[in-house]
Each structure stands twice: as C-alpha cells, then as structure tokens.
C-alpha cells in the first residue's frame, strides 16, 4: 500500500466514529423526545451505515 492510501484511510475512521457517535446520540434523543418516527429511523440508518462501514474498513485494512 502507498502512503497516500494510508493517509486517506487514517482520516476516514475518525470521521466515521464521529458520525457514529453523533447519529446515535441524535437517535436516542429523537426517540426519548417522541419526535417524528422518520427522524429516528433516519438517524438509526446513519448509525447502522457508519458501524457497518467501520467493520468493513477494519477487515479490509487489518494487518495479517
């Protein structure tokens, strides 16, 4: 792998973790506040997508 690929991958993970935390908190807040169900579903889908992307990124870039 080149250094450029490592640099870009190095920035992706912190952004995904930040989005995961923010969307999970927004999902919990929307659910607790009794907000529109579609807002909760949207935040939940973003949370799920971030988690899945982090798992895929981990398995593709792990060292063997």
């Amino acid at each position: 792998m080149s250094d450029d690929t490592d640099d870009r991958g190095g920035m992706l993970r912190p952004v995904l973790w930040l989005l995961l935390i923010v969307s999970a908190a927004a999902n919990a807040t929307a659910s607790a506040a009794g907000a529109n169900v579609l807002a909760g579903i949207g935040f939940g889908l973003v949370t799920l997508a971030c988690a899945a992307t982090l798992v895929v990124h981990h398995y593709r870039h792990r060292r063997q």
Side-chain angles (χ1 to χ4, degrees), residues 24-61:
N27 187 17
T29 303
S31 296
N36 188 354
V37 173
L38 293 178
I41 291 172
F43 288 127
L45 288 175
V46 171
T47 303
L48 182 63
C50 289
T53 305
L54 281 166
V55 169
V56 169
H57 187 269
H58 170 74
Y59 281 110
R60 286 190 179 170
H61 294 92

Side-chain angles (χ1 to χ4, degrees), residues 3 5-6 9 13 16 19 24 26 29 32 34 40 42 45 47-49 51 55 63:
D3 291 336
T5 305
D6 291 339
R13 288 178 59 140
L16 284 172
L19 281 173
T29 303
L45 288 175
T47 303
L48 182 63
V55 169
R63 295 191 176 138

Side-chain angles (χ1 to χ4, degrees), residues 4-21:
D4 294 335
T5 305
D6 291 339
D7 289 342
R8 282 183 282 151
M11 189 62 189
L12 177 65
R13 288 178 59 140
V15 170
L16 284 172
W17 275 110
L18 179 64
L19 281 173
L20 178 80
I21 292 167

